[in-house]
Amino acid sequence: MAAIATATLVSPPRRLQTVAAALAMVIVIALASALYMEENGHWVTGMTNYVVWGLPHVFAIFLIVAASGALNVASIASVFGRTTYKPLAPLSGLLAIALLAGGLSVLVLDLGRPDRLLVAMLNQNLSSIFAWNIFLYSGFFAVVGVYLWTMLAKRYSRFTTAAGTAAFVWRLVLTTGTGSIFGFLVARDAFHSAIMAPLFIAMSLAYGLAVFLLVLVALSKLGGPDVPAELIGRLGKLLGILVAAQLYFVAVFHLTNLYAAKGIALERYLLLEGGIYPWLFWVGQVILGGVLPLVLCLGRRTTSASLLLAAALVVLGGLAQVYFIVIGGQSYPMSVLPDWVLHSSFGDGEISRYVPTLPEGLLGLGGMALALVLVLVGCSVLRILPTSLEHHK
Amino acid sequence: MRVFRPFLLFIAVAAVLVGAGTMLAVAETPAAGTTLASAEPMPTASASSGHCIMPTPFMRRNHMQLLMHDRRTEVHQGVREQGHNLEDCMNCHAVRDEQGRAVPITDSRHFCNKCHGSAAVAIDCFSCHRSTPESGRANAEASR
Amino acid sequence: MNTDRRTFLKTAIAAGGAITIAPGVFLVAEAEAEAKPAEEPFSPKQRWGLLIDSSRCRAGCSSCVEACQKEQGWHSDNLGAADPQWIRKVEASDPRTGVSISLPVMCQHCAHPPCVDVCPTGASFRRVDGIVQVDRHLCIGCRYCMMACPYRARSFVHENIDDQRTHTPRGKGCVEACNLCSHRVDTGGGPACAEACPEGAMTFGDLNDPNSAISQALHKHHAVQLRPELKLDNGVQYLGI
Ligand code: SF4
Ligand code: SF4
């Protein structure tokens, strides 16, 4: 096997610095927002006792789910032995770590008591899916970290396949765990479903690849290797297939709900009458994030530009989808006496409103910026990127 | 050398996470200025009995262990022991202002701030616990 | 601290206070479980429960809610949906029959509590005597328990607080809910809401003691649990639904 020439990112200094500074600014603003939320309490956000998870969780879950999918390219190279993707495997691993770190930071900074992170580490309730996830996330850092190491330290390259396989299995389990955070909620019809885990895996594959594609092309503008149109074309086709798979699971999820009588009212709310949520579903998730990318990726004539547009749409549609799942699901009334008409001073029987505020949105964006900064730092100090992608066609 | 590069990355990730956490933890620390001049803080005289449940040197070193232990048994096992809870600390050690009202923890004169300010050890107790006596009993005793 | 209340209860019992459970049923409270000495741990032999007779509960009455606020020190800060609410009055009508009922809803003290299952740190826990509560020392404010609770029984403290009751620590960033007044239960009393109800619609007692008023009533009447399909085995049960 021919060794792949790699290098650290060397870009026209001005450009890299400008981008890094802009991202750092976003992170600082996010930290300030988090501080503001913690100082005043969560009433300054749109989150309430009725809608307890809001915009920060949308961003965090998107990033965590995308993290696992960002490993796609590395898995194809190391697990399925497609050597053409080998030069991109390290970036794939780095991006996975960065996205996870970004998502977790948002999640942690939104806690009511982020200062008690250590408490969460030291006291674990083993029957909690959440506690398992803490273990799965730390393990993901370790496993992907080792995998990266075997790729970067040529001496250990004989372990790459083994480490890559471990990372592949680990990320499937991780996304199953993330999906189960919702799937195991027996109390809420909008979440309680065994399809949540596979749906999340399908989502992760699509989001992760879309983010990877965008980051790869962005890096090429910052001193990374030029990305041949042919490579974009191949990744774009794969993205199309993953988006199709994702849409399939979405369809199964809602059709299963519609099959049971008790799910019909829920689906009517989510898909037709629930105010903003049907819009997010049909326009955001299905058309912009699903059908359009599908046409762009799998259509007859594809260009690099159209494929990148498709990737951007998958990211936007993905955010809409996570918003729809997390917040739409919470907004649907959960009745203590199903089929009765309820009134109370605590919003029983009513649709819960959620209006996000600026700080929580900024906190979420900060997570994205952190992920990108980590990619930049990683590419600058490590030999992540190949010098050229051309001759690996 | 190459081999250690990934570690650098790890450390960078960890540093950012820990840094963010610390920033918030620091934000929880009582505001600067809570330090009191006295290097050897003395507890205010106990209102009811004139002495603490344990000698002062012991309490200075070990009050946190006592509180820690009792919080476990009280919250999880329902042991409501008299004389071994934060409530009794607050009742005896209340510092009163000119109007005779017990000062809350946000006031630098609060008993706990006498050491915690200069020792720069953040107190987490009062983010939930009341820092002043509440019942009529303690107030009555204090004014006796 | 609670000696006055304990004395009150003892006096009430000594006086042979009779509790009306349901129309036409009277129970003498003398058979209540003996009080636990305050300085001893509670016993796994007990399971505390609450029986609420919605046929006696009056629409528009909120004595129980007010008693809870006073006892536990929570109140509205005009934050709307972000205000805490440990107990609420729900007015319900059945569209099929037109029947209307009124009932207080609080933490149902599930024997298989979803909130405890999901809590990552073990802050949500179920005491061996059946009371489910939050150990605020461990709560990180993730709100997963609120996602999991089928009764929306829990509140997250969204604002700074400095007027806690001494026996009820509560603070920004932690989750809280009805704890059946565990501070009173541990010293031999019962929940403030049950004591305050002017209609005597709430009976507190030991579900494991066959002689307790609550057990006897459950024996005679068909009580229901909210959302029984979840099979959580609630400590709070209802009559008249
Ligand atoms: S009612 Fe809700 S808060 Fe109470 S024990 Fe059950 S799940 Fe937990
Ligand atoms: S908010 Fe607190 S009690 Fe609820 S699940 Fe999280 S840590 Fe546990």
Side-chain angles (χ1 to χ4, degrees):
Chain A
M1 184 189 68
I4 299 156
T6 54
T8 55
L9 194 61
V10 188
S11 99
R14 189 87 54 72
R15 204 185 289 170
L16 189 59
Q17 274 166 19
T18 317
V19 173
L23 291 173
M25 190 74 95
V26 178
I27 294 176
V28 169
I29 294 174
L31 283 176
S33 303
L35 212 55
Y36 172 73
M37 281 162 56
E38 298 305 333
E39 273 300 295
N40 290 283
H42 272 63
W43 70 270
V44 299
T45 72
M47 292 176 267
T48 61
N49 287 324
Y50 310 169
V51 175
V52 302
W53 286 353
L55 210 46
H57 301 81
V58 172
F59 278 97
I61 290 164
F62 176 86
L63 287 166
I64 291 169
V65 166
S68 136
L71 218 51
N72 282 344
V73 173
S75 299
I76 296 171
S78 302
V79 182
F80 302 110
R82 299 283 291 276
T83 46
T84 29
Y85 289 107
K86 271 223 163 100
L88 292 174
L91 176 63
S92 172
L94 172 67
L95 183 60
I97 290 183
L99 289 172
L100 186 63
L104 289 182
S105 313
V106 176
L107 214 53
V108 165
L109 290 177
D110 174 76
L111 291 178
R113 304 294 310 252
D115 49 315
R116 292 207 183 134
L117 197 53
L118 206 60
V119 172
M121 301 284 180
L122 297 179
N123 298 276
Q124 304 238 319
N125 165 22
L126 289 184
S127 69
S128 166
I129 265 287
F130 238 33
W132 288 20
N133 275 320
I134 297 178
F135 168 71
L136 288 175
Y137 296 150
S138 355
F140 188 80
F141 282 125
V143 172
V144 179
V146 168
Y147 176 38
L148 252 187
W149 188 7
T150 67
M151 288 189 284
L152 298 181
K154 300 282 179 289
R155 223 157 17 116
Y156 296 101
S157 59
R158 61 180 186 280
F159 298 119
T160 302
T161 309
T165 309
F168 175 72
V169 173
W170 198 280
R171 62 114 162 206
L172 289 184
V173 178
L174 180 134
T175 317
T176 306
T178 312
S180 302
I181 288 179
F182 296 96
F184 281 15
L185 290 175
V186 290
R188 295 182 186 255
D189 292 337
F191 298 129
H192 183 221
S193 160
I195 298 171
M196 270 299 177
L199 172 64
F200 267 59
I201 291 181
M203 283 156 55
S204 90
L205 297 177
Y207 301 173
L209 188 60
V211 173
F212 180 83
L213 202 54
L214 293 171
V215 166
L216 179 64
V217 172
L219 285 173
S220 76
K221 305 270 182 273
L222 291 171
D226 284 336
V227 191
E230 192 258 334
L231 180 62
I232 298 186
R234 214 149 0 113
L235 289 175
K237 183 146 281 168
L238 182 58
L239 180 63
I241 293 167
L242 297 179
V243 168
Q246 209 251 98
L247 280 176
Y248 166 76
F249 275 106
V250 170
V252 172
F253 178 82
H254 292 289
L255 287 175
T256 322
N257 275 347
L258 281 170
Y259 192 74
K262 68 168 186 171
I264 292 179
L266 168 69
E267 288 299 322
R268 179 177 314 150
Y269 172 78
L270 289 176
L271 303 185
L272 291 177
E273 293 165 358
I276 183 187
Y277 303 107
W279 285 97
L280 280 171
F281 179 77
W282 292 110
V283 178
Q285 175 186 339
V286 175
I287 297 181
L288 290 179
V291 177
L292 216 53
L294 213 56
V295 173
L296 288 172
C297 292
L298 300 181
R300 279 261 161 84
R301 245 171 300 153
T302 56
T303 62
S304 294
S306 70
L307 291 175
L308 290 176
L309 175 65
L313 285 174
V314 169
V315 171
L316 280 183
L319 284 168
Q321 179 173 21
V322 179
Y323 195 105
F324 169 81
I325 293 177
V326 174
I327 296 173
Q330 286 179 85
S331 73
Y332 183 68
M334 180 166 62
S335 177
V336 290
L337 284 170
D339 303 330
W340 290 62
V341 178
L342 304 183
H343 293 287
S344 81
S345 58
F346 200 60
D348 284 274
E350 290 165 25
I351 290 160
S352 306
R353 270 167 50 82
Y354 171 71
V355 184
T357 59
L358 195 59
E360 43 191 322
L362 293 173
L363 172 59
L365 284 178
M368 296 204 147
L370 177 62
L372 295 177
V373 161
L374 288 176
V375 170
L376 285 185
V377 171
C379 287
S380 305
V381 298
L382 300 173
R383 288 166 160 266
I384 294 285
L385 292 170
T387 45
S388 161
L389 287 163
E390 288 292 346
H391 53 268
H392 284 283
K393 265 196 264 195
Chain B
M1 274 324 280
R2 283 274 160 270
V3 178
F4 295 102
R5 283 287 180 77
F7 280 128
L8 282 181
L9 179 67
F10 259 101
I11 290 165
V13 174
V16 170
L17 287 173
V18 171
T22 321
M23 270 190 69
L24 285 158
V26 168
E28 303 280 332
T29 326
T34 46
T35 317
L36 217 84
S38 160
E40 277 276 308
M42 289 300 293
T44 34
S46 164
S48 49
S49 49
H51 60 82
C52 196
I53 53 168
M54 286 285 182
T56 306
F58 177 88
M59 285 310 279
R60 264 192 206 146
R61 285 226 159 71
N62 302 306
H63 63 285
M64 55 303 242
Q65 272 93 348
L66 291 183
L67 290 168
M68 196 67 120
H69 170 72
D70 285 357
R71 87 179 199 193
R72 191 79 207 168
T73 53
E74 177 155 348
V75 177
H76 290 260
Q77 288 156 32
V79 181
R80 309 269 174 180
E81 235 174 313
Q82 288 294 311
H84 270 269
N85 49 42
L86 198 53
E87 175 187 5
D88 292 294
C89 306
M90 291 304 108
N91 286 344
C92 273
H93 291 289
V95 176
R96 304 206 168 250
D97 62 11
E98 301 72 34
Q99 282 88 45
R101 285 182 308 235
V103 298
I105 191 71
T106 43
D107 188 305
S108 60
R109 289 167 295 179
H110 189 277
F111 176 73
C112 300
N113 283 336
K114 290 185 180 178
C115 294
H116 278 271
S118 50
V121 177
I123 316 172
D124 202 18
C125 306
F126 303 110
S127 57
C128 286
H129 285 276
R130 190 184 172 91
S131 62
T132 52
E134 179 194 25
S135 56
R137 191 194 73 183
N139 278 318
E141 278 173 1
S143 53
R144 252 208 314 262
Chain C
M1 174 183 63
N2 271 312
T3 35
D4 43 347
R5 287 205 192 89
R6 212 193 309 183
T7 328
F8 164 78
L9 262 183
K10 283 212 181 109
T11 326
I13 290 166
I19 302 174
T20 325
I21 297 302
V25 186
F26 291 88
L27 282 158
V28 181
E30 266 162 337
E32 278 298 334
E34 320 109 68
K36 165 183 92 60
E39 56 289 340
E40 272 170 30
F42 46 68
S43 157
K45 288 204 289 279
Q46 281 148 347
R47 168 144 195 234
W48 300 114
L50 203 52
L51 181 63
I52 299 172
D53 185 351
S54 71
S55 65
R56 312 175 129 241
C57 179
R58 247 187 311 120
C61 167
S62 56
S63 301
C64 50
V65 180
E66 283 145 26
C68 181
Q69 288 183 310
K70 191 155 160 279
E71 179 67 26
Q72 306 278 24
W74 60 271
H75 48 77
S76 162
D77 270 324
N78 296 318
L79 299 178
D83 269 332
Q85 192 137 2
W86 292 27
I87 173 174
R88 61 192 191 265
K89 276 295 298 289
V90 175
E91 319 291 346
S93 59
D94 187 341
R96 291 159 302 193
T97 59
V99 171
S100 285
I101 55 171
S102 181
L103 64 161
V105 176
M106 71 296 273
C107 170
Q108 305 286 300
H109 298 281
C110 314
H112 311 291
C115 59
V116 173
D117 289 340
V118 301
C119 176
T121 65
S124 288
F125 71 103
R126 184 174 180 271
R127 306 196 331 181
V128 289
D129 63 354
I131 295 180
V132 176
Q133 62 180 14
V134 178
D135 180 349
R136 288 175 180 78
H137 305 110
L138 295 177
C139 177
I140 54 173
C142 67
R143 285 105 82 203
Y144 195 19
C145 53
M146 300 174 73
M147 292 289 279
C149 172
Y151 310 98
R152 300 166 62 243
R154 297 194 150 194
S155 298
F156 178 64
V157 180
H158 286 75
E159 73 278 13
N160 285 300
I161 289 178
D162 58 5
D163 56 353
Q164 301 93 335
R165 298 296 310 269
T166 292
H167 52 250
T168 305
R170 47 190 302 267
K172 180 184 70 183
C174 289
V175 163
E176 55 186 21
C178 157
N179 59 5
L180 281 180
C181 288
S182 61
H183 60 287
R184 294 166 57 122
V185 172
D186 288 341
T187 47
C193 54
E195 193 179 298
C197 177
E199 310 291 332
M202 295 199 218
T203 312
F204 171 78
D206 182 1
L207 296 170
N208 284 351
D209 173 1
N211 297 321
S212 69
I214 188 168
S215 297
Q216 305 241 330
L218 284 168
H219 208 67
K220 292 207 181 70
H221 303 278
H222 178 65
V224 296
Q225 309 186 358
L226 298 182
R227 301 192 66 180
E229 78 282 3
L230 297 174
K231 301 212 182 313
L232 303 177
D233 186 4
N234 299 346
V236 177
Q237 302 180 27
Y238 292 83
L239 291 177
I241 294 181

